[in-house]
Amino acid sequence: MMKTALVTGANKGIGLEIARQLGAAGWKVLLGARSIERGKAAVAELTGQGLDVEFLQLDMTNQESIEQAVATIQTRYSDLALLINNAGMPGAFSSSFSATREEDLRNAFEVNFFGTFRLNQRLFPLLKQNEGTIVNVSTDMASLHFMQHAEHALNAFDYNASKTANNAMTVAMAIELKNSNAQVFAVTPGFTKTDLNGNAEGGKSKEDGAAIIVGYATDGKRHNGEFLDVNGVYAW
């Protein structure tokens, strides 16, 4: 039986590739995107490849947009079994704590934490009931262990802090799902060339980054409360 997945921030980059790979694996995919024009263009691209993909307008900075999207899911896609929270923004990618502006910190938190929190909390009952999976897409730089011990780490406090808070949310959700067949976990694809980092050289392809996320999301294993990278469990 075909199951339904929602991927946020899916009109480009890793999100689009996640949607493509899920569709190719037989999932019905709701492609969440803020821009109606770009979202529908992405859907046209994927349906042109024979995949079952539909557009869902979803602005992670707008509570009303999130509530409308959730209402649509509850009415039309109540079999939702997978939520991949991919939508994110870099803030200003500040170079240090001292250089961080409060405005940029708030902007990063609005999408990377508060928007994701709103969507997770509103879809939580449905996904728990459906024994579904929630994947919060994270980053190496959300790991306090990594930031303390890595020889070279980008000290972008606005972006990093918002993702560390997102990791804390993952743990809180996992505690609540401990005795449930539903699960939530975080995955970092590692350094990947995307618009978020200006397609920086040296990163893996979007296809490879997405494959790490999709692999864990669909492997049928219990990962509740874990933080995972390509090699397995990653330090918080």
Side-chain angles (χ1 to χ4, degrees):
M1 184 180 72
M2 180 178 289
K3 291 185 177 181
T4 301
L6 168 60
V7 184
T8 67
N11 63 284
K12 64 178 182 177
I14 289 182
L16 177 60
E17 191 55 39
I18 291 170
R20 190 193 317 276
Q21 292 181 19
L22 286 173
W27 286 77
K28 178 183 189 64
V29 180
L30 304 180
L31 188 150
R34 178 176 56 182
S35 166
I36 295 175
E37 180 181 2
R38 293 175 183 174
K40 288 186 174 180
V43 167
E45 175 185 336
L46 297 183
T47 55
Q49 297 171 7
L51 306 179
D52 188 356
V53 181
E54 295 185 25
F55 173 64
L56 183 69
Q57 203 277 332
L58 185 54
D59 182 349
M60 299 298 287
T61 67
N62 186 303
Q63 182 170 331
E64 183 179 351
S65 173
I66 291 171
E67 290 175 347
Q68 287 178 346
V70 169
T72 298
I73 289 168
Q74 291 171 335
T75 302
R76 297 177 54 193
Y77 309 103
S78 60
D79 63 339
L80 185 74
L82 175 60
L83 167 60
I84 298 186
N85 287 302
N86 167 75
M89 60 94 74
F93 246 52
S94 56
S95 59
S96 68
F97 170 79
S98 296
T100 301
R101 299 189 309 165
E102 182 175 333
E103 177 185 1
D104 296 325
L105 188 65
R106 289 183 180 277
N107 288 339
F109 265 81
E110 188 58 36
V111 174
N112 300 338
F113 180 75
F114 286 108
T116 304
F117 163 75
R118 294 181 189 115
L119 184 63
N120 275 334
Q121 194 173 65
R122 285 160 176 77
L123 287 177
F124 197 75
L126 178 62
L127 284 156
K128 185 176 181 180
Q129 173 186 307
N130 291 347
E131 300 182 351
T133 293
I134 301 169
V135 179
N136 292 325
V137 177
S138 191
T139 172
D140 300 7
M141 297 180 298
S143 165
L144 301 182
H145 181 272
F146 173 81
M147 290 301 294
Q148 285 184 304
H149 297 98
E151 184 176 350
H152 302 289
L154 182 61
N155 194 22
F157 179 63
D158 44 6
Y159 176 70
N160 297 0
S162 67
K163 285 294 195 175
T164 302
N166 196 302
N167 278 1
M169 174 166 56
T170 301
V171 173
M173 294 168 70
I175 291 170
E176 197 165 335
L177 293 178
K178 184 168 58 176
N179 298 316
S180 161
N181 288 325
Q183 63 174 339
V184 58
F185 53 91
V187 179
T188 170
F191 178 31
T192 305
K193 291 190 290 185
T194 67
D195 288 351
L196 186 142
N197 56 34
N199 291 291
E201 289 302 317
K204 63 174 64 70
S205 69
K206 299 173 182 69
E207 293 79 5
D208 288 345
I212 295 168
I213 297 164
V214 172
Y216 284 121
T218 61
D219 66 7
K221 297 179 181 178
R222 182 73 173 170
H223 296 296
N224 191 52
E226 294 180 345
F227 185 14
L228 301 158
D229 75 350
V230 66
N231 298 312
V233 175
Y234 198 71
W236 292 108

